[in-house]
């Protein structure tokens, strides 16, 4: 016998001895005394080894080690080791349902949080303490949130925001000598009961595990069946949607859709979900059973209910601040503290969770008039844009940019008369490559989504400044160039902006046509939009014809980019049109969406020094206020976007346009139209607006709400 075969045989014998030992252990557990005697006698006669039941001994030893390690880490204040053992050795059922365990866990988190303050009062490691505070905050926002409504624990939710808990009357009991021994005694009692090893024999435990495994496999099979059904429903929906798109196209061309066809779609759409109820109880072929409008209303209601967004999880609100003290220090303190405060206030906006948390932060800023909109003082927070310190100016511009990134923030900024003057002043004075200038430009571009701000910018001759900048585009970064082009396009959408361009049409056309060949397609989209807008002015069209702009456009339409090519065709059509100048003065603000970007926090020049407070720590340590934060329901508005093949004709900002372009697939090929047949095949599924053809021009249908947007673009063969 080879050594490998001998080793394999030894493993088999060891396994067999283990198995026989488990059988004997089980017989002892159930007190089958006579059976055990017979079992031992027969094993001995057959020469079978029976291992001794060491399972309980091993389990006892393991539990003692775990108990020792838990108590040791408790004494040493090692929260990482303690909670790792805590999580690994107690089931989620105990964590989530046992009130005693939840209460003990809460106080254990407090113990580890304040451990440095108790161990080294007055000379503790600040970095270690801040790390523990962050860990405690995370616990309060997750597992500890369940106890926030309990009076016993409520005061401790303020602990992370109190600068010196040792002297605060609410936490006086935590620093008494008796508190730690009492807590440790509770922990030992809990562990002695919970960590008690089970007396069940190994064979029984193996059987229970096997039963659980079988149950898990049964659930997996059920999930697979549900998945297969969902997949089949998905393919069914794709087929139905393709036919509905055909129907939409037919109605646009004037063809009627029969009620029978709509009834058949309803049957196919809901037969799987409602086979035993609505579908079978409704005779779709008999007149008068259910009207077509009722069926469509029912279908619409069910579809909306099926795609309704789930209720989001509750997120914690950030602590309120003392805004009067904040504003005073922003105006009167040192440049470094000003910059740190501006950074912290911006981070509150950019790093808060989108939705209720961020809306509440912004509402607190606005309701407390952070930027001194109503102030009659000569020096306000906004006048930091004129600070002699470049970092202060930059961080003020960054904060304004953050405000301008949110719809309600733009409303607030647009009500500050001095703001545009300060921003355009900075735009003209700052160095070309400065971050301050970049953030000012981006903030202005976002503000140009509002008509009142467009009017003021046009009056301040911002178009002339943009033309000078874009004329020397080689000196600009793509980021600056993109926002400059987008700002120009937004201003050119206004009648006043078009007329301003017409005053120096030759120069404007020269700058824009030079940018047509730029490698960045986003920039070219804004240039196309600006060209399309100003060419509605007859004098600009005449100048363009004299400059042979059509020939220049046709040179660029030869490139392999069908979207830009179609935009150019629209521009050429506008160039050759004879219609009168259009008037836009009756339109409302075009954009009401949030545009928060990661670029707001890029290239931070300001870094905190060792032991220097910054960010949220600075705000909650030095400027903690009374709890006044109130959740506010934010007004949402749908944004109408053009077809990708049209030049942009509404104010946009690059962040929103990028999102739109990345989630819309501009492919719709039309060869011929026919009624509801199966020759139309769905080629791609997407979120977005639904497009239709009319006189070979694609338009955007009225916008859908977020819960109504599972529409598509199709390729028709």
């Amino acid at each position: 016998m080879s050594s490998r075969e001998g080793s394999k045989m030894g493993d088999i014998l060891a396994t067999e001895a283990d198995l026989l030992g488990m059988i004997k252990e089980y017989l002892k557990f159930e007190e089958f005394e006579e059976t055990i005697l017979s079992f031992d006698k027969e094993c001995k006669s057959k020469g079978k080894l029976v291992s001794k039941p060491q399972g309980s001994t091993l389990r006892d030893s393991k539990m003692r080690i775990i108990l020792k390690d838990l108590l040791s880490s408790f004494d040493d204040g090692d929260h990482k080791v303690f909670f790792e053992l805590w999580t690994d050795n107690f089931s989620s059922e105990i964590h989530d349902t046992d009130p005693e365990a939840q209460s003990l866990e809460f106080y254990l988190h407090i113990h580890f949080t304040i451990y440095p303050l108790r161990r080294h009062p007055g000379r503790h490691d600040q970095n270690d303490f801040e790390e523990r505070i962050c860990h405690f905050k995370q616990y309060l926002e997750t597992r500890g949130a369940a106890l926030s409504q309990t009076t016993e624990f409520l005061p401790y939710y303020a602990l992370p925001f109190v600068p010196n808990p040792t002297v605060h009357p609410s936490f006086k009991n935590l620093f008494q000598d008796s508190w730690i021994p009492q807590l440790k005694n509770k922990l030992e009692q809990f562990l002695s009961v919970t960590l008690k090893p089970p007396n069940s024999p190994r064979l029984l435990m193996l059987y229970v595990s096997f039963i659980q495994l079988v149950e898990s496999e049964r659930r997996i099979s059920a999930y697979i069946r549900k998945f297969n059904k969902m997949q089949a429903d998905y393919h069914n929906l794709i087929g139905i949607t393709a036919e509905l798109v055909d129907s939409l196209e037919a109605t646009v061309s004037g063809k009627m859709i029969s009620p029978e066809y709509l009834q058949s779609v309803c049957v196919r759409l809901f037969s799987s979900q409602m086979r035993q109820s609505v579908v079978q109880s409704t005779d779709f072929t008999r007149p008068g059973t259910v009207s077509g409008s009722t069926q469509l209303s029912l279908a619409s209601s069910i579809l909306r209910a099926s795609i309704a967004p789930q209720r989001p999880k509750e997120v914690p609100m950030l602590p309120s601040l003392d805004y009067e003290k904040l504003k005073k220090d922003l105006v009167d303190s040192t440049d470094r503290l000003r910059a740190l405060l501006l950074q912290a206030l911006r981070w509150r906006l950019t790093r808060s969770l989108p939705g209720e948390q961020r809306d509440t932060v912004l509402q607190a800023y606005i309701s407390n008039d952070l930027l001194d909109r109503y102030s009659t003082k000569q020096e306000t927070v906004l006048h930091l844009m004129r600070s002699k310190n470049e970092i202060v100016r930059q961080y003020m511009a960054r904060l304004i940019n953050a405000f301008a990134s949110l719809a309600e923030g733009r409303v607030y900024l647009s009500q500050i008369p001095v703001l545009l003057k300060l921003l355009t002043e900075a735009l003209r004075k700052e160095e070309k490559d400065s971050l301050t200038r970049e953030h000012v430009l981006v903030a202005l571009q976002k503000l140009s989504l509002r008509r009142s701000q467009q009017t003021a910018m046009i009056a301040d001759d911002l178009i002339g400044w943009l033309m000078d900048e874009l004329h020397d585009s080689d000196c600009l970064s793509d980021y600056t160039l993109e926002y400059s082009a987008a700002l120009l396009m937004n201003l050119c959408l206004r009648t006043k902006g078009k007329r301003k361009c017409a005053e120096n049409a030759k120069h404007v056309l020269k700058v824009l046509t030079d940018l047509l060949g730029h490698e960045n397609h986003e920039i070219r989209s804004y240039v196309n939009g600006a060209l399309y807008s100003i060419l509605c002015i007859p004098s600009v069209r005449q100048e363009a014809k004299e400059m042979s702009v059509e020939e220049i456009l046709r040179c660029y339409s030869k490139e392999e980019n069908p979207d830009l090519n179609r935009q150019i065709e629209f521009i050429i059509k506008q160039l050759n049109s004879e219609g009168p100048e259009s008037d836009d003065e009756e339109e409302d603000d075009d954009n009401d969406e949030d545009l928060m970007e990661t670029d707001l926090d890029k290239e931070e020049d300001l870094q905190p020094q060792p032991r220097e407070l910054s960010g949220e720590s600075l705000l909650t340590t030095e400027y903690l206020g009374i709890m006044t934060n109130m959740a506010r329901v934010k007004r949402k508005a749908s944004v109408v976007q053009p077809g990708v093949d049209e030049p942009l004709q509404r104010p946009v900002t690059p962040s929103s346009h990028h999102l739109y372009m990345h989630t819309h697939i501009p492919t719709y090929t039309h060869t011929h139209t026919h009624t509801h047949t199966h020759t139309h095949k769905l080629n791609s599924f997407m979120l977005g607006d639904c497009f239709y053809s009319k006189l070979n021009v694609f338009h955007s249908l009225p916008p859908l709400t977020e819960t109504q947007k599972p529409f598509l673009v199709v390729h028709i063969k």
Side-chain angles (χ1 to χ4, degrees):
M1 183 184 295
S2 67
S3 60
R4 180 177 296 180
E5 290 174 340
S7 175
K8 186 176 180 181
M9 181 62 70
D11 290 342
I12 293 172
L13 291 173
T15 303
E16 185 182 68
D18 233 5
L19 181 58
L20 293 172
M22 284 191 282
I23 293 172
K24 185 175 180 179
E25 181 187 20
Y26 177 74
L27 294 174
K28 279 186 177 180
F29 178 77
E30 296 292 350
E31 298 181 351
F32 290 107
E33 302 296 341
E34 293 183 8
T35 307
I36 291 173
L37 293 174
S38 300
F39 179 78
D40 284 338
K41 183 178 179 181
E42 194 164 357
C43 285
K44 188 174 182 180
S45 66
K46 293 186 175 182
K48 300 289 185 182
L49 293 175
V50 179
S51 66
K52 294 182 179 180
Q54 298 176 344
S56 59
T57 305
L58 291 172
R59 286 195 297 272
D60 287 342
S61 175
K62 181 182 177 183
M63 293 303 174
R64 281 196 296 271
I65 293 171
I66 293 170
L67 178 62
K68 181 181 177 182
D69 288 345
L70 280 167
L71 294 176
S72 174
S73 56
F74 175 89
D75 292 334
D76 297 340
D78 193 339
H79 63 97
K80 294 179 180 177
V81 171
F82 183 91
F83 284 112
E84 185 177 349
L85 290 168
W86 181 270
T87 304
D88 291 345
N89 292 285
F90 299 109
S91 67
S92 58
E93 184 180 358
I94 293 176
H95 287 153
D96 299 335
T97 61
D98 187 341
E100 183 184 354
Q102 291 177 328
S103 172
L104 179 61
E105 185 179 9
F106 192 95
Y107 284 116
L108 286 169
H109 275 281
I110 293 175
H111 161 67
F112 287 111
T113 301
I114 64 173
Y115 181 83
L117 302 181
R118 292 183 59 92
R119 187 68 178 265
H120 306 290
R123 51 188 179 84
H124 60 273
D125 185 338
Q126 185 63 31
N127 292 332
D128 178 40
F129 180 61
E130 287 181 4
E131 181 186 345
R132 291 168 184 266
I133 284 288
C134 290
H135 187 269
F136 186 48
K137 279 185 184 177
Q138 185 180 5
Y139 166 73
L140 292 178
E141 293 168 3
T142 52
R143 294 184 49 74
L147 299 174
S148 61
Q149 305 303 316
T150 307
T151 307
E152 177 187 354
F153 305 108
L154 195 57
Y156 300 111
Y157 283 79
L159 178 61
F161 309 109
V162 175
N164 189 359
T166 57
V167 297
H168 198 285
S170 297
F171 311 124
K172 184 179 179 181
N173 65 310
L174 301 179
F175 297 93
Q176 293 177 353
D177 293 338
S178 59
W179 191 76
I180 292 291
Q182 289 173 1
L183 180 61
K184 186 174 182 180
N185 184 47
K186 287 182 181 178
L187 175 63
E188 289 174 336
Q189 290 178 5
F190 176 79
L191 295 178
S192 65
V193 174
T194 313
L195 285 179
K196 187 177 181 180
N199 293 321
S200 302
R202 288 177 293 167
L203 187 61
L204 183 58
M205 293 172 67
L206 278 175
Y207 176 73
V208 171
S209 299
F210 173 73
I211 295 299
Q212 291 173 343
L213 180 62
V214 170
E215 177 62 21
S216 298
E217 290 180 346
R218 187 192 64 78
R219 287 199 299 268
I220 290 171
S221 299
Y223 292 144
I224 290 174
R225 286 195 298 273
K226 288 181 180 179
F227 170 76
N228 291 336
K229 183 180 180 301
M230 288 175 63
Q231 195 172 43
D233 288 344
Y234 169 74
H235 289 299
N236 182 38
L237 283 174
I238 288 180
I240 292 171
T241 311
E243 291 194 20
L244 289 176
V245 172
D246 293 347
S247 306
L248 180 61
E249 187 178 15
T251 56
V252 170
S253 61
K255 296 182 180 179
M256 294 294 293
I257 304 300
S258 68
E260 291 77 15
Y261 172 73
L262 292 178
Q263 291 170 2
S264 70
V265 169
C266 287
V267 172
R268 289 172 57 200
L269 192 57
F270 300 112
S271 60
S272 59
Q273 296 95 328
M274 305 168 61
R275 186 171 289 112
Q276 301 302 323
S277 54
V278 176
V279 174
Q280 284 194 347
S281 63
T282 303
D283 185 355
F284 289 101
T285 61
R286 192 177 70 206
T289 308
V290 179
S291 68
S293 62
T294 303
Q295 292 168 35
L296 291 178
S297 175
L298 175 63
S300 175
S301 299
I302 295 174
L303 281 174
R304 285 192 179 93
S306 67
I307 61 174
Q310 293 182 348
R311 185 177 180 180
K313 294 181 179 179
E314 291 186 6
V315 295
M317 295 297 104
L318 296 174
S320 294
L321 305 176
D322 184 344
Y323 287 94
E324 291 306 314
K325 183 182 177 185
L326 261 171
K327 289 190 282 186
K328 184 178 183 302
D329 284 358
L330 280 169
V331 174
D332 299 334
S333 62
T334 64
D335 285 337
R336 181 160 186 85
L337 180 56
R338 287 172 176 170
L340 285 167
L341 286 173
L342 291 169
Q343 182 188 58
L345 290 165
R346 167 169 49 88
W347 282 353
R348 260 212 168 198
L349 273 180
T350 59
R351 298 183 179 185
S352 56
L353 298 174
E356 186 179 5
Q357 190 182 69
R358 180 173 291 166
D359 295 344
T360 306
V361 171
L362 179 62
Q363 189 58 32
Y365 286 1
I366 294 172
S367 61
N368 288 282
D369 194 19
L370 180 62
L371 300 184
D372 286 332
R373 172 179 56 174
Y374 298 113
S375 177
T376 56
K377 298 177 184 176
Q378 197 164 7
E379 291 294 322
T380 65
V381 173
L382 271 177
H383 283 85
L384 294 178
M385 284 301 307
R386 290 176 176 166
S387 171
K388 294 180 181 179
N389 186 290
E390 199 279 329
I391 295 294
V392 172
R393 295 197 307 275
Q394 179 196 139
Y395 277 66
M396 187 70 240
R398 285 177 183 261
L399 180 60
I400 293 171
N401 189 6
F403 267 92
S405 300
L406 302 171
E408 296 295 330
R410 292 193 291 277
V411 174
Y412 174 64
L413 293 178
S414 66
Q415 296 169 351
I416 306 177
V418 74
L419 176 68
L420 276 183
K421 180 182 177 182
L422 291 171
L423 293 180
T424 53
E425 181 183 280
L427 201 61
R428 292 180 167 105
K429 286 184 177 180
E430 293 289 338
E431 296 292 331
K432 270 198 171 187
D433 58 349
S434 78
L435 283 171
T436 304
R437 186 176 188 261
E438 183 177 287
H439 282 282
V440 167
L441 173 65
V442 174
L444 283 168
Q445 200 286 323
K446 293 170 183 174
L447 285 170
S448 72
L449 298 173
R450 301 196 61 80
R451 291 177 60 80
S452 62
Q453 303 304 293
Q454 293 170 2
T455 302
M457 291 178 200
I458 294 167
D460 199 27
D461 195 27
L462 200 56
I463 288 179
W465 181 88
L466 287 167
M467 282 298 148
D468 293 339
E469 286 293 298
L470 294 171
H471 181 67
D472 194 19
S473 61
D474 291 341
C475 299
L476 303 176
S477 66
D478 269 14
Y479 186 75
T480 301
L481 183 58
E482 186 173 353
Y483 273 90
S484 298
L487 174 56
L488 175 66
M489 187 202 76
N490 286 357
L491 299 182
C492 288
L493 295 174
R494 296 291 305 280
T495 299
K496 292 177 181 178
K498 297 169 189 174
R499 290 172 181 167
K500 177 67 76 172
C501 291
E503 294 174 7
N504 194 1
K506 187 171 184 177
H507 177 58
V508 172
L509 289 169
K510 175 70 168 59
V511 170
L512 292 177
T513 51
D514 285 348
L515 288 170
L516 284 172
H518 199 281
E519 60 185 10
N520 186 323
H521 289 179
E522 303 295 339
I523 293 171
R524 291 174 63 178
S525 292
Y526 304 132
V527 171
N528 289 343
L531 271 174
Y532 185 84
S533 294
I534 65 174
L535 284 173
C536 76
I537 305 288
S539 61
V540 178
R541 288 201 298 268
Q542 184 59 38
E543 186 66 46
K545 290 174 182 176
E546 293 175 7
M547 292 175 62
S548 302
V549 169
E550 182 173 351
E551 285 72 17
I552 297 172
L553 289 167
R554 293 203 181 278
C555 288
Y556 289 114
S557 68
K558 295 176 182 178
E559 296 184 16
E560 296 181 359
N561 190 316
D563 304 325
L564 291 175
N565 290 346
R566 284 192 290 271
Q567 290 179 8
I568 288 173
E569 289 301 321
F570 275 101
I571 297 170
I572 293 173
K573 185 177 179 182
Q574 179 82 307
L575 173 61
N576 293 320
S577 66
E578 300 297 333
E581 177 184 336
S582 62
D583 194 345
D584 63 357
E585 298 307 319
E586 297 302 318
E587 294 184 8
D588 298 323
D589 287 325
D590 291 296
N591 194 302
D592 193 28
E593 60 181 328
D594 292 344
L595 316 163
M596 193 67 75
E597 307 161 294
T598 56
D599 292 323
L600 285 163
D601 294 334
K602 74 173 184 178
E603 299 178 39
E604 295 276 4
D605 292 327
L606 185 65
Q607 299 296 332
Q609 296 172 355
R611 300 184 181 278
E612 183 178 38
L613 292 174
S614 66
E616 194 65 19
S617 298
L618 172 61
L619 295 179
T620 55
T621 302
E622 301 295 338
Y623 300 93
L624 195 63
I626 301 170
M627 279 291 181
T628 56
N629 281 346
M630 294 296 289
R632 182 174 183 271
V633 178
K634 188 172 174 220
R635 176 172 57 92
K636 289 287 184 184
S638 298
V639 180
V640 178
Q641 293 283 4
V644 183
D645 47 0
E646 291 183 61
L648 294 166
Q649 299 170 52
R650 286 179 175 270
V652 299
T653 200
S655 53
S656 63
H657 189 233
H658 290 172
L659 177 63
Y660 176 75
M661 295 294 289
H662 293 160
T663 56
H664 290 66
I665 306 170
T667 56
Y668 192 110
T669 307
H670 176 252
T671 55
H672 61 284
T673 304
H674 36 179
T675 55
H676 313 286
T677 66
H678 295 287
T679 58
H680 290 204
K681 296 183 180 179
L682 193 66
N683 193 36
S684 59
F685 209 54
M686 51 166 284
L687 292 176
D689 296 333
C690 184
F691 298 91
Y692 66 92
S693 60
K694 183 178 181 183
L695 300 177
N696 296 323
V697 178
F698 288 81
H699 298 276
S700 177
L701 284 176
L704 304 173
T705 66
E706 290 303 313
T707 57
Q708 294 174 313
K709 276 197 162 185
F711 275 81
L712 57 149
V713 173
V714 298
H715 179 80
I716 298 177
K717 292 184 179 179

